[in-house]
Amino acid sequence: MIEVSGVTKRYGDATVLDNVSLTLHRGGVTALVGANGAGKSTLLSIIGRLLTPEAGRVSVDGLDVATTPSTELARRLSILRQENTVAVRLTVRELVEFGRFPHSGGRLTANDRDHVERAIDYLQLRPFEHRPVDQLSGGQRQRVFIAMVLCQDTDYVLLDEPLNNLDMRHAVQTMHLVRRLATDLGKTLVVVLHDINFAAHHADRIVAMKDGRILADGTPSEIVTPAQIQAIFDLEVDVHHLDAGPFAAYFARRD
Amino acid sequence: MLAEAAAVRGIAQRDGFDARRPRFALLALTGVFVALAVLFMTYDLKGSLSYALEFRARKLGGLALVGFAVAYSSVLFHTVTHNRILTPSLMGFDALYQLIQTSAAFFFGTFAVLQLDERIRFGIEIAIMLAFATVLYRTLFGRDDRDLYVLVLVGIVMGLMFSSLTSLVSRLIDPNEFIALQDRLFADFSRINQDLLVVSSAIILAVVAVSWRLLPRLDVVALGREHSTNLGVDHQRIVNEVLVVIALLVSVSTALVGPVTFLGLLVANLSYQVTGTFRHRYTVPAAVLLGMSALIGGQFILQEVLASSTRLSVVVSFVGGLYFIALLWREARTARA
């Protein structure tokens, strides 16, 4: 269980997160949605201890992320931010192998190698596993980083806009992977998503943020309604009900 | 159980990364280093054998210690600052040490410095250096979004400032007293400070013993702050520890021979090229071997082959400076592309 209580984050005068509290139970996919600057990525980074809040605390399975040894947390929780570049020149495979670092400390065991192989297959990196990471396209690189996090094999996986840079096919495949991690392997995923429709169709729960606060929290059918979307994004949309779930036609032309 | 672990390790190293190239590089570099050291010790020995050997051994030891300290600190500095161009000396570390040396002489008095045991003085200076360097560079590298070119500029400005302050302070000292001090304060390759050889070796050994266990984690640190945090490596703590290591090593090399600009840049980058890997287990030893070989070989060529009185530091700065410009050039071109 992830517990966020009373978290506040400021950058200078700007309050990015304003006394946010949230409880995420084990299992399932939770989507964080909201307009740009709503505080989704900041909240995710604070849960993943990449940022320290001015006030409040975050605990993962009862362990305070601010005080628990980092290695201990790295075996339970992994986080991937949206912009990922590495200054070091390494191959796809070498980067994926880093995902095992919290478990192996740099020397891979047979078990670690299995994880690496599986992650490479899952993300279809086999054709370029020996290529340097800096020679890949943005989307390919994104998949390499997802493979690294997958390799880390943690109960909690936090992904900040994992669909960035991905084409339609790879975006869908990534969301299927996210779903499979939750359904088949029982992992808990928290994913920041821009496209409300991906959230509607793949998440069990949607947490909507606005201006540093949580505005709405519920199942896809509760959140993906014209009234809620108006409140979250200040945008008028029609919501259609397909067999697969609610569908917000936000890109429709209005004239 | 043990056999199984060994087998696993063998397999694990086979995939993802081919260890043969860096291993071969290390072997070859060790060969070069040993050959140069033997040559340096035995070439054209004249007069009393024991005296000549002892004389050369001291010199060899000094060169090796400096090469080691400069190379080791440069690779670590590259990793914690996430770039391959800046080195401690380019950021003014050694100028800072010289400023501390001179200021100490000014504030405590020339005679106190001259009478004090060289090693005690060294210890005090190192303590001051540690305090200043860690505070200064921690504020500078505390954020990880610093622009490389801004850092280069800041480093050059700080280096200039420290050396200007050093000459200001040395002018404040009585000229006669200053001449007495000069020998002890401003060492160079032709006047290696030999009183400090033993204590310097001890410091280097201790530093290596302590920092060797950090090397696998430094591989992770090189990925950047966010990735290392995610992978359970306490980025800030490692960076702080490494800055202490660097301050110690720079103090050692500056006390022995004065500033050696560009040597670290040269050998660190060469080591990345010859080992072809980012793994510190290979790049650090390779850089160290290159650093020691460069100084021993350079000194040998200058002294015996060219019979030149040119100072080694001048040659190193010239070659390294050209390499620095080439690196900046390449960096600028890839940044634009």
Side-chain angles (χ1 to χ4, degrees):
Chain A
M1 191 167 73
I2 296 177
E3 278 182 291
V4 178
S5 47
V7 163
T8 298
K9 177 77 188 170
R10 292 187 199 88
Y11 289 112
D13 292 336
T15 303
V16 191
L17 286 181
D18 190 4
N19 197 14
V20 170
S21 296
L22 178 69
T23 303
L24 297 162
H25 292 285
R26 248 172 190 282
V29 177
T30 302
L32 281 176
V33 300
N36 292 333
K40 307 164 297 224
S41 296
T42 308
L43 178 60
L44 201 75
S45 296
I46 288 174
I47 297 174
R49 75 195 177 301
L50 300 183
L51 290 175
T52 359
E54 264 78 47
R57 76 186 278 273
V58 175
S59 69
V60 176
D61 288 341
L63 302 170
D64 189 331
V65 298
T67 53
T68 309
S70 205
T71 320
E72 168 82 34
L73 280 173
R75 289 187 215 116
R76 295 168 184 264
L77 170 138
S78 54
I79 178 163
L80 182 63
R81 299 265 289 130
Q82 48 178 321
E83 279 145 39
N84 293 297
T85 45
V86 279
V88 195
R89 198 181 164 84
L90 30 68
T91 66
V92 168
R93 200 188 173 91
E94 286 174 321
L95 185 60
V96 176
E97 284 173 356
F98 267 114
R100 296 307 297 168
F101 193 85
H103 305 273
S104 67
R107 284 211 181 269
L108 299 184
T109 64
N111 178 37
D112 293 326
R113 286 178 58 242
D114 286 345
H115 278 281
V116 173
E117 298 300 333
R118 245 176 291 154
I120 285 179
D121 283 335
Y122 262 175
L123 275 302
Q124 299 163 2
L125 307 176
R126 196 64 71 189
F128 45 90
E129 61 173 319
H130 295 298
R131 288 250 302 275
V133 175
D134 55 0
Q135 287 177 10
L136 303 178
S137 74
Q140 291 172 326
R141 196 153 59 217
Q142 181 74 358
R143 279 154 53 206
V144 177
F145 279 103
I146 294 175
M148 179 181 93
V149 167
L150 182 64
C151 228
Q152 209 175 325
D153 190 29
T154 52
D155 288 344
Y156 300 91
V157 181
L158 315 179
L159 302 171
D160 192 353
E161 294 190 28
L163 307 185
N164 248 7
N165 290 323
L166 295 186
D167 60 34
M168 223 191 278
R169 186 171 77 106
H170 286 113
V172 169
Q173 283 176 348
T174 303
M175 284 318 287
H176 286 167
L177 172 72
V178 163
R179 198 57 255 178
R180 211 158 63 218
L181 289 177
T183 315
D184 299 351
L185 303 177
K187 294 183 187 300
T188 312
L189 285 105
V190 187
V191 188
V192 172
L193 289 174
H194 256 160
D195 190 333
I196 189 87
N197 289 323
F198 269 120
H201 291 260
H202 293 89
D204 301 302
R205 177 180 174 191
I206 298 180
V207 174
M209 297 187 66
K210 192 177 189 181
D211 302 329
R213 296 161 187 270
I214 290 174
L215 188 74
D217 182 350
T219 61
S221 52
E222 287 165 3
I223 303 294
V224 187
T225 64
Q228 289 281 21
I229 292 175
Q230 171 77 45
I232 302 163
F233 293 99
D234 297 315
L235 186 70
E236 225 174 278
V237 294
D238 294 329
V239 173
H240 303 282
H241 290 276
L242 310 179
D243 290 344
F247 177 79
Y250 58 83
F251 38 74
R253 181 167 147 181
R254 291 177 180 269
D255 50 17
Chain B
M1 191 62 188
L2 273 178
E4 191 187 308
V8 164
R9 199 168 303 148
I11 298 163
Q13 285 183 348
R14 198 190 60 213
D15 56 18
F17 150 72
D18 186 359
R20 276 174 306 184
R21 178 173 162 196
R23 278 186 191 150
F24 177 74
L26 281 186
L27 209 65
L29 289 175
T30 310
V32 170
F33 167 68
V34 171
L36 282 172
V38 169
L39 193 66
F40 188 91
M41 286 298 291
T42 55
Y43 183 81
D44 196 20
L45 277 174
K46 283 194 234 62
S48 156
L49 194 65
S50 64
Y51 173 77
L53 280 179
E54 197 194 321
F55 178 77
R56 288 195 186 185
R58 281 171 183 278
K59 208 160 183 177
L60 180 86
L63 291 170
L65 285 176
V66 171
F68 192 109
V70 168
Y72 201 98
S73 60
S74 296
V75 174
L76 264 54
F77 193 76
H78 280 171
T79 298
V80 298
T81 57
H82 306 305
N83 83 87
R84 290 184 167 192
I85 290 181
L86 298 176
T87 59
S89 72
L90 284 172
M91 294 301 295
F93 265 75
D94 39 16
L96 175 63
Y97 182 74
Q98 284 198 313
L99 176 61
I100 290 169
Q101 278 184 313
T102 321
S103 309
F106 178 67
F107 288 114
F108 301 123
T110 322
F111 291 107
V113 170
L114 287 176
Q115 278 162 6
L116 202 60
D117 185 283
E118 187 89 342
R119 278 154 294 194
I120 294 172
R121 185 171 67 84
F122 188 44
I124 295 171
E125 284 166 0
I126 282 184
I128 303 173
M129 171 78 177
L130 279 181
F132 271 99
T134 46
V135 170
L136 193 60
Y137 293 95
R138 210 178 287 179
T139 36
L140 206 52
F141 294 108
R143 289 171 46 190
D144 53 6
D145 52 350
R146 295 279 190 199
D147 182 67
L148 178 62
Y149 295 95
V150 174
L151 284 177
V152 173
L153 280 177
V154 170
I156 289 166
V157 169
M158 287 204 308
L160 280 175
M161 186 181 74
F162 293 145
S163 36
S164 308
L165 283 174
T166 305
S167 51
L168 173 72
V169 174
S170 47
R171 285 202 186 116
L172 295 176
I173 300 174
D174 180 282
N176 295 321
E177 295 176 16
F178 185 71
I179 290 170
L181 265 181
Q182 212 166 13
D183 263 9
R184 306 194 72 166
L185 291 193
F186 302 105
D188 69 42
F189 282 104
S190 54
R191 285 178 306 172
I192 295 175
N193 191 332
Q194 303 195 339
D195 298 337
L196 297 178
L197 284 183
V198 176
V199 72
S200 298
S201 320
I203 290 176
I204 287 185
L205 270 179
V207 160
V208 172
V210 170
S211 59
W212 193 254
R213 72 195 161 83
L214 292 179
L215 295 190
R217 271 175 285 170
L218 283 174
D219 294 345
V220 180
V221 164
L223 296 180
R225 194 184 63 85
E226 291 190 343
H227 288 304
S228 25
T229 308
N230 172 48
L231 293 173
V233 172
D234 191 339
H235 189 265
Q236 193 58 50
R237 215 185 79 196
I238 302 244
V239 170
N240 291 344
E241 286 181 31
V242 165
L243 281 175
V244 171
V245 164
I246 290 169
L248 277 172
L249 293 175
V250 172
S251 306
V252 166
S253 83
T254 315
L256 286 174
V257 298
V260 220
T261 324
F262 297 126
L263 175 71
L265 175 89
L266 198 64
V267 295
N269 281 286
L270 282 177
S271 98
Y272 307 142
Q273 276 174 14
V274 298
T275 55
T277 175
F278 60 90
R279 287 171 172 78
H280 290 81
R281 219 155 11 109
Y282 299 104
T283 56
V284 168
V288 161
L289 286 167
L290 280 162
M292 297 192 299
S293 304
L295 290 185
I296 294 167
Q299 183 68 27
F300 177 78
I301 291 171
L302 272 186
Q303 195 177 295
E304 307 290 343
V305 182
L306 302 176
S308 160
S309 58
T310 312
R311 296 217 316 253
L312 180 59
S313 51
V314 175
V315 180
V316 170
S317 296
F318 180 69
V319 177
L322 287 179
Y323 190 68
F324 177 59
I325 293 170
L327 274 181
L328 276 181
W329 187 280
R330 207 175 61 188
E331 189 87 358
R333 273 210 325 221
T334 47
R336 255 201 311 262

